[in-house]
C-alpha cells in the first residue's frame, strides 16, 4: 500500500496525504495492540474504543487498496464502517466506565514466553525473508523500504533491551516496600565511596537508624500497619538527607545512610536531624489511630577514613545499640564509645548465653543451641580444622538462633505453617543475631558466622544470598548441625523425623543446600554414634 503510492505521478501534497493513511494506520494498529494486550481494566468503554481503532484501521486500509485498484467510489460500504467507528468512539467517551479506563488493572507477570519470543522473531525476520524471496526471483524491489523497516525493528529491539536492563538494575538496587536502596547496594557502594574519599582527603560518615519498639507496633496493629510505618519513616528520612547521600533500608526496621563531606563536628548535628525528622510528628496508623514513632541513631566517621568498611559499620552498629541502651530516641557516636569504660566480656557472653537459652525454650521443650554447638565442634574436628576454628564453630552454633529473641512469640510458637509475611520476619533473625553479638568487643568473627548460617551452597539462602565458598566454613558446618537438630526436634509445627528420614534429607540437600564434605562428615559421626540424642526438658532422650 505504501510503495505503489511512492511511484505515482501525483503532486507531492496528494502523495503525502495518500501515504499518511497506511503509515498512520500502522501507528493506529500499534495503539490498538498495546491497548488490548496491556494489563489495564476491561470495562465496556474499552471494547468500544478498541472497536473504533480497529474499524478505522480496516476501513482506511481497504480505502487505499480500492484507490490503488481504481474501484473506490464515494458512498460505498466504507462510509458505514467509518460511521460505526465514530459512533463507538463517542459512546466510549460518554460511557460511565470511561472514568476508570485509565486505572491499572491487576498486576500480571511480565515474561517472555515461547509465543512472545516466536512472534518477535517472526517480526524481525520479515524484512530479511522478503530479501531472500526477491533474491530467489532475481528481481529486487523496495530495498529502501526494507532497509528502513530493518533499521526500525533493530532500533526498537535495542531500545527495549536498554529499558529492560535499566529496569532490572533499578529493581536490583531498590527496596520494593520503601523505594530506598537495598542493603546489598549500600554494602557494595560503601568501599568505593571510602576509597574515593581517602584519595581526595574528604571525610564521610555512616549512620544506622533503627525504629524504636517496632516489634510492639507489629504486635499491636499488625504487619500492614508496620509496613505503613516503615514507608513513612523512609519518606521522612529521605526528606532529611542531602542530594548525593546514599540512604538504604538496611534490615527489617533499620536504615543506613552514607553521607559524604560530613566532618566530626557535623556528625552529631546530622544524626539529630535524622532523629527529629522521624519523631517530629505522629504517624497516621489508620483513620482513627496515630502514634509517635521515634528512632535511635548510631553514627561513625566524620574524619579521614583510616579504617575498613566493616569497621566503620561495626562502629555505627555499636553506637546504635548504645543509643538504645541509653533509653532510645537518642543519638550515639561510635568514636565516643572508644573512650567509654570497657564492657566485661565474660558478663556479656553470659548474657548472650541466657538469651540463647530463652530462645530455645520458646521454640521447643528440647535444647537446640547447645547440641548444635557441640556437634559443630565434632564435625570441625572430623574435618581436621584448627582448634580456634572448632572453638568458633561451637560458640557460634551455641548462639546461632539468638536473633529470634526480637521476633514475636506468636511466630516462634505458631503451631501451623508461617505466612509469607511471617517468613519475611523470620528470615531477618540472622541479621538480628549478628548485631546482638557484634556489640560485644572481640566477637566480630562469631557474629559473621551467625549471620551466614542460613546461607545455602547454591546461593538461594538468606540474608545475603551467598554461595559456595563465599560462606564461611564454620557457617556451613552449623547449617548441617542446625538442620539435623530441627528435623529431630518436636516443634509446634512438626513432629520429629527418625534417624533414617533425617539422614535421607541431609543427603538430598548435599550439594544444593549443604556442603557435601560437611554432610559426609556428619553422617559418619551419626553412624558411629557420636551425635548424641536431643533430650526433653526433663532429660529424657528423643525416640528415634
Amino acid at each position: 500500500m505504501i510503495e505503489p503510492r511512492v511511484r505515482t505521478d501525483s503532486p507531492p501534497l496528494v502523495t503525502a496525504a495518500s501515504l499518511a493513511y497506511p503509515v498512520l494506520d500502522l501507528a493506529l494498529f500499534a495503539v490498538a495492540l498495546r491497548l488490548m494486550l496491556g494489563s489495564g481494566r476491561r470495562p465496556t468503554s474499552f471494547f468500544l474504543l478498541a472497536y473504533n481503532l480497529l474499524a478505522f484501521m480496516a476501513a482506511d486500509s481497504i480505502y487505499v487498496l480500492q484507490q490503488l485498484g481504481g474501484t473506490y467510489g464515494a458512498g460505498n460500504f466504507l462510509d458505514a464502517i467509518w460511521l460505526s467507528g465514530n459512533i463507538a468512539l463517542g459512546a466510549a467517551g460518554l460511557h460511565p466506565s470511561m472514568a476508570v479506563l485509565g486505572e491499572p488493572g491487576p498486576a500480571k507477570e511480565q515474561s517472555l514466553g515461547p509465543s512472545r519470543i516466536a512472534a518477535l522473531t517472526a517480526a524481525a525476520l520479515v524484512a530479511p525473508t522478503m530479501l531472500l524471496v526477491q533474491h530467489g526471483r532475481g528481481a529486487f524491489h523496495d530495498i529502501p523500504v526494507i532497509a528502513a523497516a530493518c533499521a526500525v525493528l533493530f532500533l526498537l529491539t535495542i531500545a527495549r533491551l536498554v529499558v529492560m536492563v535499566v529496569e532490572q538494575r533499578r529493581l536490583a538496587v531498590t527496596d520494593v516496600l520503601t523505594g530506598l536502596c537495598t542493603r546489598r547496594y549500600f554494602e557494595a557502594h560503601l568501599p568505593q565511596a571510602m576509597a574515593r574519599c581517602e584519595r581526595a582527603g574528604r571525610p564521610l560518615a555512616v549512620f544506622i537508624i533503627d525504629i524504636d519498639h517496632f516489634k510492639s507496633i507489629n504486635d499491636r496493629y499488625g504487619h500492614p500497619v508496620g509496613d505503613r510505618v516503615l514507608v513513612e519513616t523512609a519518606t521522612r528520612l529521605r526528606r532529611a538527607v542531602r542530594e548525593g547521600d546514599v540512604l538504604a533500608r538496611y534490615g527489617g526496621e533499620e536504615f543506613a545512610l552514607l553521607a559524604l563531606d560530613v566532618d566530626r563536628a557535623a556528625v552529631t548535628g546530622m544524626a539529630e536531624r535524622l532523629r527529629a525528622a522521624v519523631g517530629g510528628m505522629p504517624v497516621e496508623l489508620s483513620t482513627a489511630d496515630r502514634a509517635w514513632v521515634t528512632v535511635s541513631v548510631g553514627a561513625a566517621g566524620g574524619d579521614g577514613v583510616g579504617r575498613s568498611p566493616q569497621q566503620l559499620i561495626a562502629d555505627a552498629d555499636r553506637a546504635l545499640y548504645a543509643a538504645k541502651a541509653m533509653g532510645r530516641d537518642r543519638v550515639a557516636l561510635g568514636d565516643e564509645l572508644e573512650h567509654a569504660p570497657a564492657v566485661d566480656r565474660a558478663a556479656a557472653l553470659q548474657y548472650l548465653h541466657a538469651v540463647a537459652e530463652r530462645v530455645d525454650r520458646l521454640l521447643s521443650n528440647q535444647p537446640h543451641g547447645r547440641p548444635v554447638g557441640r556437634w559443630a565442634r565434632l564435625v570441625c574436628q572430623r574435618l581436621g580444622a584448627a582448634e580456634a576454628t572448632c572453638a568458633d564453630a561451637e560458640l557460634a552454633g551455641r548462639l546461632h538462633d539468638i536473633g529470634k529473641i526480637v521476633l514475636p512469640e506468636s511466630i516462634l510458637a505458631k503451631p501451623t505453617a508461617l505466612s509469607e509475611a511471617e517468613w519475611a520476619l523470620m528470615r531477618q533473625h540472622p541479621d538480628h543475631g549478628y548485631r546482638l553479638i557484634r556489640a560485644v568487643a572481640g566477637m566480630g568473627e562469631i557474629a559473621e558466622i551467625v549471620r551466614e548460617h542460613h546461607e545455602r551452597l547454591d546461593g538461594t539462602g538468606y540474608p545475603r544470598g551467598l554461595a559456595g565458598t563465599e560462606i564461611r566454613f564454620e557457617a556451613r558446618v552449623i547449617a548441617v548441625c542446625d538442620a539435623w537438630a530441627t528435623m529431630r526436634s518436636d516443634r509446634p509445627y512438626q513432629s520429629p523425623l527418625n534417624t533414617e528420614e533425617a539422614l535421607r534429607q541431609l543427603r538430598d540437600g548435599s550439594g544444593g543446600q549443604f556442603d557435601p564434605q560437611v554432610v559426609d562428615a556428619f553422617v559418619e559421626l551419626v553412624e558411629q554414634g557420636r551425635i548424641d540424642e536431643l533430650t526433653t526438658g526433663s532429660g529424657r532422650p528423643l525416640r528415634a
Side-chain angles (χ1 to χ4, degrees):
M1 286 188 285
I2 296 175
E3 188 269 340
R5 280 293 175 187
V6 176
R7 297 184 180 182
T8 61
D9 297 328
S10 304
L13 289 179
V14 174
T15 301
S18 300
L19 290 176
Y21 277 96
V23 170
L24 294 179
D25 280 340
L26 284 174
L28 205 61
F29 182 59
V31 172
L33 284 179
R34 184 67 183 88
L35 179 67
M36 290 183 287
L37 297 178
S39 60
R41 299 176 180 274
R42 297 289 191 274
T44 303
S45 57
F46 165 84
F47 295 102
L48 292 170
L49 189 57
Y51 174 77
N52 164 260
L53 295 173
L54 294 175
F56 269 51
M57 184 196 70
D60 288 351
S61 300
I62 297 172
Y63 165 72
V64 174
L65 289 173
Q66 288 183 350
Q67 275 201 328
L68 291 173
T71 61
Y72 174 71
N76 67 10
F77 67 94
L78 293 180
D79 290 342
I81 300 178
W82 278 315
L83 180 60
S84 65
N86 281 321
I87 292 174
L89 178 62
L94 295 173
H95 197 276
S97 63
M98 192 66 181
V100 298
L101 183 62
E103 295 182 4
K108 294 183 179 179
E109 182 181 356
Q110 297 295 322
S111 61
L112 280 178
S115 59
R116 285 194 176 192
I117 294 176
L120 290 172
T121 303
L125 293 177
V126 166
T129 301
M130 291 180 63
L131 286 177
L132 287 174
V133 170
Q134 293 183 9
H135 175 73
R137 293 177 176 177
F140 292 93
H141 304 287
D142 313 317
I143 298 301
V145 176
I146 295 174
C150 284
V152 170
L153 281 172
F154 294 152
L155 289 174
L156 288 174
T157 302
I158 295 299
R160 179 58 177 161
L161 287 175
V162 169
V163 170
M164 290 176 65
V165 169
V166 171
E167 181 64 11
Q168 289 298 319
R169 287 181 177 174
R170 186 191 67 81
L171 291 175
V173 300
T174 304
D175 178 65
V176 176
L177 179 63
T178 62
L180 302 179
C181 297
T182 60
R183 173 179 179 158
R184 177 169 292 190
Y185 175 81
F186 183 89
E187 291 181 338
H189 184 76
L190 178 60
Q192 301 171 7
M194 292 180 69
R196 288 196 301 269
C197 288
E198 194 161 8
R199 287 194 300 268
R202 300 165 60 191
L204 60 74
V206 168
F207 303 82
I208 298 183
I209 308 107
D210 185 86
I211 300 177
D212 298 324
H213 305 294
F214 184 73
K215 177 176 175 291
S216 63
I217 295 174
N218 273 333
D219 290 346
R220 180 176 179 183
Y221 298 101
H223 296 297
V225 172
D227 288 347
R228 196 175 307 141
V229 170
L230 288 171
V231 172
E232 179 61 24
T233 302
T235 301
R236 296 182 182 186
L237 290 173
R238 191 185 290 112
R239 292 172 185 157
V241 303
R242 305 165 307 171
E243 187 74 25
D245 292 343
V246 178
L247 180 63
R249 185 180 178 192
Y250 199 66
E253 66 273 17
E254 285 187 344
F255 303 87
L257 172 66
L258 169 62
L260 304 180
D261 297 318
V262 177
D263 57 27
R264 187 183 295 273
V267 169
T268 302
M270 190 164 189
E272 285 290 350
R273 186 165 74 248
L274 295 172
R275 185 189 65 82
V278 177
M281 62 179 63
V283 175
E284 298 285 344
L285 303 181
S286 65
T287 54
D289 291 323
R290 297 194 307 168
W292 290 91
V293 176
T294 62
V295 294
S296 300
V297 183
D303 51 8
V305 179
R307 49 188 139 176
S308 69
Q310 293 77 18
Q311 289 174 326
L312 192 62
I313 292 177
D315 289 345
D317 231 359
R318 288 193 300 117
L320 172 65
Y321 275 91
K324 286 187 170 294
M326 289 186 291
R328 293 181 170 84
D329 190 21
R330 62 192 64 223
V331 168
L333 304 184
D335 296 329
E336 293 179 356
L337 297 179
E338 295 177 1
H339 308 292
V343 177
D344 186 345
R345 188 174 188 273
L349 270 176
Q350 185 178 4
Y351 172 74
L352 293 178
H353 283 302
V355 173
E357 292 283 355
R358 174 166 172 75
V359 170
D360 283 358
R361 290 194 296 271
L362 290 172
L363 292 172
S364 173
N365 65 341
Q366 297 156 331
H368 185 80
R370 287 185 185 276
V372 168
R374 192 164 58 246
W375 300 338
R377 172 180 276 276
L378 289 174
V379 173
C380 288
Q381 291 173 342
R382 180 77 177 181
L383 294 172
E387 172 57 28
T389 300
C390 298
D392 285 350
E394 181 174 15
L395 180 55
R398 175 72 187 86
L399 302 175
H400 73 280
D401 269 347
I402 195 171
K404 291 180 180 178
I405 194 65
V406 306
L407 301 179
E409 293 185 17
S410 59
I411 292 180
L412 298 179
K414 188 175 180 180
T416 57
L418 299 182
S419 66
E420 185 56 40
E422 291 167 336
W423 262 119
L425 288 176
M426 182 65 76
R427 284 191 287 267
Q428 295 171 13
H429 85 265
D431 273 330
H432 293 311
Y434 165 80
R435 285 175 177 75
L436 283 170
I437 298 170
R438 184 82 195 202
V440 179
M443 292 282 284
E445 288 295 316
I446 305 301
E448 291 288 354
I449 296 169
V450 167
R451 180 158 63 168
E452 295 177 9
H453 79 276
H454 272 301
E455 303 288 357
R456 293 171 54 114
L457 207 68
D458 58 11
T460 61
Y462 59 88
R464 294 188 291 170
L466 303 180
T469 55
E470 293 178 332
I471 309 168
R472 292 170 183 261
F473 167 72
E474 300 92 334
R476 285 178 270 149
V477 171
I478 292 171
V480 173
C481 299
D482 178 37
W484 179 265
T486 302
M487 290 187 289
R488 302 281 288 135
S489 296
D490 188 7
R491 297 283 180 91
Y493 53 87
Q494 73 171 31
S495 298
L497 302 181
N498 60 38
T499 302
E500 290 72 22
E501 292 172 333
L503 284 174
R504 184 172 62 253
Q505 290 208 15
L506 280 187
R507 292 189 179 104
D508 289 345
S510 179
Q513 180 176 357
F514 306 121
D515 186 330
Q517 186 181 21
V518 175
V519 170
D520 291 343
F522 191 89
V523 170
E524 289 175 6
L525 291 170
V526 172
E527 293 172 345
Q528 294 171 5
R530 298 184 62 189
I531 300 298
D532 54 323
E533 297 285 359
L534 294 172
T535 59
T536 64
S538 59
R540 294 173 296 171
L542 174 68
R543 293 189 298 275

